[in-house]
Structures are given as structure tokens and as C-alpha cells.
């Protein structure tokens, strides 16, 4: 079974969703049957590489008087998942290069580690995840070869991978993240509770097993 996760580093819900999916997967007896693939989705492609307003300040502009309540809720949900979401430190920037770095990491089997490091760097540490020096350090910390990361950041490797993910998201009707696509099925929310996600995954695994049995009966 393949789970595709459409996410962006700027999205606090994606960090929460990542934790919840991990909790759900941990309860699956045959976890090795499940492949997790991170897909690129840019929430703010218009952003530059230089940080401006904080995420909290941007949210105040979107939500007005409701902003403080919503920010408190996001932070509280983060705490429940063991996360420190510092929306007053995180400053939105362009994440295209960060997504390219995730694709490089995927080719080396460390995509999940890379995404975790990027999410923590942005949401908890308040780092600029568009800055080449920061991305190089984070890539190295995730286990990538320093020379390979530098080559990536100086060129346009994996740019088409990011664009292909974004086209695929549009084709699938994805307008909000995190979104999960399980074995090509219609996308579902990635911020369901761990219990709901666990049930969803078990149902899909059971359906796959039933399909295998039906094929065996007809062979």
C-alpha cells in the first residue's frame, strides 16, 4: 500500500498530521507493507527567500480578531503531539528549494528524516528554510552528502519533480494540506486523529487482502 502525503514546510497542520500519521502507522502490525511518499505542495509560491512577517502576524491579517484564538488552538494541538509550534518565530518564505531537497532525500531513502528536520527548523527553531546555507546544513543533518546538497542548491535538479507533484495535486483536486492519497484513492485529510487514520489504513489493508483472496479463488 502506498500513502502519498501532500504537504508544505510552512504548514503547521502538516507537522501535526505527520505526527498523527506516525502514531497510526506504529499500530499497524505489518507496517512494512506500507510505503510513505512525500509530495510537494507550495502554500506560498509567491514568497521570496527573505523572511518578512511572522506566521502569527500573517495569520492576524487573515483572521483578524479570531487570530489569537486560532493560533492558541494550533499551538495546543501541536503540544498534544509533542511539538513546539512557535508561530511567533516562524517567518514564511519560498519553499521550492526545500521541496527539491526532499526529493533528493527521497532518492537516498531519508525523505521522512529530511521533512522532519525541515518542519522542526521552520516551526520550532524559526530558521529560514529558503536560505542555501541553512538548507545545506539541514540536508547534512538528515544524512545527505554535503557535496550533493551543494550541487542541488546551485542548480535546478528535481525542479521538475516538484512541479510534477503540484500538477498531480491539481489533477486530484487537492486544495488543502496535509492531504493523503492512499493507493490512488480520492484524497483525504491528513489531520484526522491517529485512531481515525489507523482505522482508515486497516480498512485499506483489509480491502487489499480481500482482493488478493478473490484473485486466488478465481485462479
Amino acid at each position: 500500500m502506498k500513502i502519498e502525503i501532500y504537504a508544505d514546510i510552512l504548514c503547521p497542520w502538516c507537522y501535526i498530521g505527520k505526527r498523527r500519521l506516525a502514531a497510526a502507522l506504529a499500530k499497524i502490525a505489518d507496517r512494512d507493507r506500507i510505503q510513505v511518499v512525500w509530495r510537494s505542495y507550495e502554500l506560498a509560491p509567491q514568497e521570496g527567500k527573505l523572511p518578512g512577517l511572522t506566521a502569527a502576524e500573517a495569520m492576524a491579517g487573515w483572521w483578524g480578531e479570531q487570530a489569537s484564538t486560532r493560533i492558541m488552538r494550533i499551538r495546543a494541538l501541536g503540544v498534544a503531539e509533542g511539538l513546539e509550534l512557535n508561530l511567533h518565530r516562524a517567518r514564511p518564505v519560498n519553499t521550492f528549494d526545500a521541496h527539491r531537497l526532499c526529493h533528493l532525500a527521497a532518492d537516498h531513502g531519508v525523505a521522512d528524516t529530511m521533512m522532519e528536520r525541515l518542519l522542526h527548523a521552520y516551526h520550532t527553531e524559526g530558521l529560514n528554510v529558503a536560505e542555501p546555507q541553512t538548507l545545506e546544513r539541514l540536508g547534512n543533518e538528515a544524512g545527505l552528502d554535503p557535496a550533493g546538497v551543494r550541487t542541488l542548491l546551485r542548480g535546478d535538479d528535481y525542479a521538475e519533480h516538484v512541479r510534477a507533484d503540484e500538477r498531480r495535486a491539481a489533477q486530484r483536486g487537492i486544495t488543502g494540506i496535509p492531504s493523503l492519497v492512499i493507493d490512488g484513492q480520492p484524497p483525504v485529510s491528513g489531520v484526522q486523529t491517529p485512531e481515525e487514520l489507523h482505522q482508515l489504513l486497516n480498512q485499506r489493508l483489509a480491502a487489499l487482502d480481500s482482493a488478493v483472496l478473490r484473485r486466488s479463488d478465481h485462479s
Side-chain angles (χ1 to χ4, degrees):
M1 183 171 78
K2 181 165 78 171
I3 304 173
E4 298 169 80
I5 312 172
Y6 287 84
D8 188 25
I9 294 92
L10 302 185
C11 173
W13 294 106
C14 291
Y15 207 179
I16 293 168
K18 184 178 187 297
R19 278 288 191 275
R20 290 181 174 182
L21 179 61
L25 287 169
K27 297 178 181 178
I28 300 290
D30 37 6
R31 167 69 179 85
D32 292 343
R33 295 176 61 189
I34 302 175
Q35 176 193 14
V36 175
V37 178
W38 288 95
R39 297 293 189 196
S40 304
Y41 190 105
E42 292 177 276
L43 274 181
Q46 76 284 354
E47 290 283 354
K49 294 188 176 184
L50 297 178
L53 297 176
T54 66
E57 289 168 340
M59 290 172 179
W62 307 336
W63 298 327
E65 294 179 356
Q66 298 179 3
S68 60
T69 301
R70 291 194 179 194
I71 289 169
M72 287 175 59
R73 178 169 179 263
I74 292 171
R75 287 177 59 90
L77 290 172
V79 169
E81 302 300 333
L83 303 175
E84 183 182 341
L85 301 176
N86 293 321
L87 302 176
H88 293 81
R89 293 182 63 190
R91 294 178 182 273
V93 288
N94 189 282
T95 55
F96 189 74
D97 286 343
H99 282 296
R100 292 198 299 125
L101 186 60
C102 284
H103 280 284
L104 173 66
D107 275 356
H108 289 82
V110 292
D112 194 82
T113 302
M114 188 72 258
M115 181 58 77
E116 177 69 28
R117 191 64 193 92
L118 285 163
L119 288 165
H120 188 272
Y122 176 74
H123 290 285
T124 302
E125 300 173 65
L127 298 182
N128 179 356
V129 292
E131 185 180 56
Q133 296 93 325
T134 300
L135 289 175
E136 184 176 337
R137 177 167 65 82
L138 297 177
N140 297 345
E141 290 174 2
L144 295 175
D145 174 61
V149 175
R150 283 194 295 272
T151 298
L152 171 91
L153 295 173
R154 290 170 183 168
D156 61 358
D157 291 353
Y158 296 98
E160 180 51 32
H161 290 64
V162 177
R163 295 303 182 214
D165 280 355
E166 293 175 337
R167 287 194 298 270
R168 195 178 292 112
Q171 291 164 0
R172 286 171 163 167
I174 293 172
T175 57
I177 52 172
S179 285
L180 307 181
V181 173
I182 302 173
D183 276 345
Q185 300 294 308
V188 297
S189 171
V191 287
Q192 300 178 63
T193 66
E195 293 75 23
E196 289 169 332
L197 291 169
H198 180 249
Q199 182 180 19
L200 182 68
L201 298 180
N202 269 336
Q203 287 172 346
R204 183 59 190 162
L205 286 171
L208 291 173
D209 289 340
S210 295
V212 170
L213 286 173
R214 285 196 299 272
R215 286 197 296 270
S216 297
D217 290 342
H218 291 296
S219 60

